[in-house]
Amino acid sequence: MLSLKAQAAAGVLALCLSGAAMAEPVEVQWWHAMTGVNGERVDELVKKFNESNEQYKVVAVNKGNYDEVINSTIAAYRAKRPPHIVQIYERGFMTMLLSDAIVPAQDLMEKAGYKIDWNDFIKPVAGFYSYKGRLAAMPFNSSSPILFYNKDQFQKAGFDKPAQTWGEFEKQLYAIKKSGAAECGTALATDYHWSLIENYSAINDQPYATKANGYNGLDTEFVYNKTLVVPQVARLKRWLDDGVLKIAGQGFSPEQLFTSGTCATYFASTAAHSGIEKNAKIAWSATFLPWEEGREPKNSTIGGAALWVIKGHKPEEEKAVAAFFDFLAKPETQLWWHKATGYVPLTNKAYELAKSQGYYKESPTREIAILQLNRGTPSENSLGFHFGNFTQAMFAQREEVEALFAGKKDAQQAMDDAVKRGNEILRQYERLNKGKY
């Protein structure tokens, strides 16, 4: 029989073990910008991770749009109460990289002992979020623009599908409007700069800026006013004047102009699949973005966002973040996210898994963005865009394009002024971050 002392010790041990078993999981906060259907998918994703283990728990918090997320993160970091993970759009790459507020994703994973095959990540995605050959952020919701089209309206006008080149595609849009097949040829996307200017430059292998579009130095300068971008925006102005291009009015989104059958085409992110599938009252399909005749099309560039780790947290909390990232990188997780949202799978293993299951035979338009991103070997003009304060430069460009649309400037003057304003923004960023990159 145990002595009273031994019994007491055994009781204490039992209580300790019981307490350990009942210990709360390590909790980490993830601030994101996903709303609507994709916001629901984020909640499902987090639930899947939390139910897959008892040690860690991720709490997902929507903080508004991408700009609001980054502003909230800056404020929280200054107040020394930052979240563990933040979802930041691709235009915020340089801001986050040089912020001195992050733990590089690859460093975090290696420190936690996770072995992820980073070389398996799709090259345009991994290349964009890398610095000096190492992943700075965990790729998450990556996308690329594609061309959605109304099959019935194209057939009514005598076409099977959109032409591959811009010149022939333009003729189709005019024919569709003239025949009465559709009220307008294309709806102008809210983020038209991404699909119709930036990706236009990449696919047609046009330099957007010097220094490999910012990859090779903060002293990069915009030069798109000396490229095919000028006749491209002139084309958009012509379409607008001729009623071929329609801008959504109050109460309507560009996507609604397409899904309602008002406009025959819509340039949008592959992530628009979920909304179009849910709301379309038309027979639709999708295809690759056009390119200029006589040019060999390059890869498109990514949009979307990545997950950044904010420094200053406890080691066990960083381990929780690493466990979540490891979960996200698994092919099965990638495939689920791809199917649920329309965003591209981020690894070749996930892509091959989707193909092996016959997914693209069932949903062929879901593969377009992947094939477009992986097309050929990226050049300095199609790697992507690494610019400081890129959002500010983009807004300056939009203002100049809108001045063109309003008839206040011609295409050349609008792009000259956009480049001038953009370069002033780049120089300001360079001065503030000299020696960091």
Side-chain angles (χ1 to χ4, degrees), residues 23 29 31 51 56 67 75 90 127 133 171 183 214 230 242 246 248 294 317 392-393 403 422 433:
Q29 293 276 320
W31 289 3
E51 291 178 348
Y56 305 119
D67 288 321
E90 90 284 357
K171 292 176 184 177
E183 182 181 324
V230 176
D242 294 343
K246 192 175 182 67
E317 293 170 348
Q392 293 179 30
N433 293 279

Side-chain angles (χ1 to χ4, degrees), residues 148-415:
F148 292 90
Y149 67 96
N150 186 311
K151 295 197 292 185
D152 291 340
Q153 289 171 345
F154 267 76
Q155 289 171 3
K156 187 176 179 180
F159 308 113
D160 292 329
K161 60 182 181 179
Q164 292 182 325
T165 62
W166 277 100
E168 292 303 310
F169 176 64
E170 180 173 32
K171 292 176 184 177
Q172 289 179 329
L173 296 188
Y174 274 82
I176 286 170
K177 180 174 175 57
K178 185 177 180 180
S179 70
E183 182 181 324
C184 82
T186 192
L188 186 68
T190 304
D191 56 356
Y192 64 84
H193 54 276
W194 179 47
S195 55
L196 299 177
I197 298 178
E198 294 167 10
N199 269 280
Y200 172 87
S201 293
I203 289 171
N204 286 289
D205 204 16
Q206 299 288 289
Y208 201 79
T210 60
K211 299 283 183 174
N213 287 343
Y215 275 69
N216 293 338
L218 296 180
D219 54 340
T220 178
E221 294 184 345
F222 292 120
V223 295
Y224 57 78
N225 61 326
K226 301 174 184 177
T227 73
L228 292 175
V229 162
V230 176
Q232 167 71 345
V233 296
R235 174 189 284 138
L236 298 179
K237 165 63 171 170
R238 182 170 65 251
W239 290 2
L240 183 63
D241 290 346
D242 294 343
V244 170
L245 172 68
K246 192 175 182 67
I247 298 175
Q250 189 173 5
F252 275 90
S253 70
E255 185 173 302
Q256 287 173 318
L257 289 178
F258 174 68
T259 57
S260 66
T262 302
C263 295
T265 63
Y266 178 45
F267 291 89
S269 167
T270 185
H273 267 99
S274 56
I276 290 174
E277 287 170 347
K278 182 179 179 181
N279 301 313
K281 302 172 183 177
I282 59 172
W284 62 273
S285 189
T287 189
F288 300 90
L289 297 182
W291 54 87
E292 294 294 350
E293 187 174 357
R295 304 198 71 85
E296 185 70 26
K298 304 297 288 186
N299 61 285
S300 58
T301 64
I302 67 164
L307 304 185
W308 295 81
V309 184
I310 305 301
K311 71 180 185 181
H313 293 289
K314 297 176 182 178
E316 61 267 28
E317 293 170 348
E318 289 191 347
K319 288 181 180 179
V321 173
F324 182 51
F325 283 6
D326 181 63
F327 170 79
L328 293 179
K330 293 184 183 303
E332 296 79 12
T333 306
Q334 286 290 312
L335 180 55
W336 177 86
W337 179 250
H338 174 45
K339 289 181 177 181
T341 64
Y343 286 108
V344 299
L346 300 177
T347 64
N348 290 303
K349 287 188 179 71
Y351 176 44
E352 293 300 325
L353 181 60
K355 289 198 294 184
S356 71
Q357 294 180 3
Y359 179 59
Y360 301 119
K361 291 181 180 178
E362 303 169 8
S363 306
T365 60
R366 296 288 187 119
E367 190 177 20
I368 293 167
I370 306 166
L371 296 174
Q372 190 173 255
L373 281 166
N374 280 325
R375 182 170 54 200
T377 302
S379 71
E380 287 190 346
N381 299 325
S382 67
L383 281 171
F385 308 98
H386 278 185
F387 304 124
N389 291 337
F390 193 17
T391 299
Q392 293 179 30
M394 178 267 291
F395 279 128
Q397 183 192 76
R398 286 176 66 96
E399 289 176 357
E400 297 301 331
V401 172
E402 286 163 11
L404 165 65
F405 286 170
K408 297 177 180 178
K409 300 179 180 182
D410 63 22
Q412 187 64 64
Q413 187 63 56
M415 292 301 94

